[in-house]
Amino acid sequence: VPELPEVETTRRGLEPLTVGKQVARVLVHNASLRWPVPAALARSLPGLVVQSLGRRSKYLLMEFDRGTLIVHLGMTGHLRCVNADEKKIKHDHVEIFFSDGTVLRYHDPRRFGAILWTTEDPLRHQRLAHLGLEPFDEEFNGEYLYRLSRARSVAVKPFLMDGRVVVGVGNIYASEALFRAGILPRKIAGQVSRAAYQRLVPAVRAVLSEAIAAGGTTIRDFSDNDGRPGYFAHNLRVYGRGGQPCVTCGAVIRQARLGQRSTYFCSSCQK
Ligand SMILES: [Zn+2]
């Protein structure tokens, strides 16, 4: 499952290949993604120029002179921009041809992804309006987490993974960030100190930044709901290391289920 770092990696890769290009035509081969691909795309996109490629949570926002294409990769979605003479392959559901002879192809075997269109502010679109803060936003800070968590009886790990609190902190990233911040994953969110939350925010950013630099953590292996560590695996200090010695203190890393997810921690380093 593409997580925020994979989506950001996709955005950075596609930005120089799409911004400034004019759409020549659009072919929708299969409109039945998670939500139907709007039929109007084939009429409204041609002639428009890509102004920017942004991201909000795991949504890519391709902004045109009038309107924004909102793309979610779902579980198996993938975007690539190639020369139009490169042969289309199975599960390439949508093609956006540019006037320079390249084509942006949306590929998605399981079709849980989405391509939406809005002429309004995309950040106020019904799919995006209620999302929590971006992890790299200034407003996401220790004070914010401290304030929001008071009177919350949920454990700190699911609290951190709640997309209404902050977006993009998946299971692997939450485990790693809590380890780096020295916070036990099962500790009640409302009992975590302000100082601990102030350590947690830079830990979240560091883990996500490393994953973005490495191109994300997950490879496409559907046997594991938590996503299998990929390029980022060598950077993982606690996730997937149950029974092995802690890299900091040598104690045995423990594994537990917390909110249906695998959780790894060092009960000596994390309090
Ligand atoms: Zn330790």
Side-chain angles (χ1 to χ4, degrees), residues 114-128:
I115 298 180
L116 306 165
W117 174 253
T118 181
T119 51
E120 317 265 301
D121 178 359
L123 300 182
R124 301 179 70 172
H125 189 277
Q126 59 167 333
R127 304 286 163 208
L128 282 73

Side-chain angles (χ1 to χ4, degrees), residues 145-175:
L145 287 179
Y146 179 75
R147 199 167 24 81
L148 203 61
S149 62
R150 293 311 91 180
R152 292 292 302 272
S153 57
V154 65
V156 64
K157 183 165 172 263
F159 173 71
L160 185 61
M161 291 174 65
D162 183 343
R164 292 163 298 184
V165 174
V166 59
V167 300
V169 187
N171 192 38
I172 296 176
Y173 305 115
S175 288

Side-chain angles (χ1 to χ4, degrees), residues 104-144:
L104 181 66
R105 290 192 173 124
Y106 180 77
H107 178 89
D108 191 354
R110 293 183 63 173
R111 293 189 279 113
F112 283 117
I115 298 180
L116 306 165
W117 174 253
T118 181
T119 51
E120 317 265 301
D121 178 359
L123 300 182
R124 301 179 70 172
H125 189 277
Q126 59 167 333
R127 304 286 163 208
L128 282 73
H130 305 292
L131 295 171
L133 293 179
E134 284 288 324
F136 293 100
D137 275 2
E138 254 175 53
E139 307 95 276
F140 177 63
N141 54 43
E143 189 60 33
Y144 166 78

Side-chain angles (χ1 to χ4, degrees), residues 179 245-253 265-270:
F179 175 75
C246 170
V247 294
T248 305
C249 75
V252 174
I253 296 295
F265 59 95
C266 171
S267 47
S268 149
C269 292
Q270 294 172 261

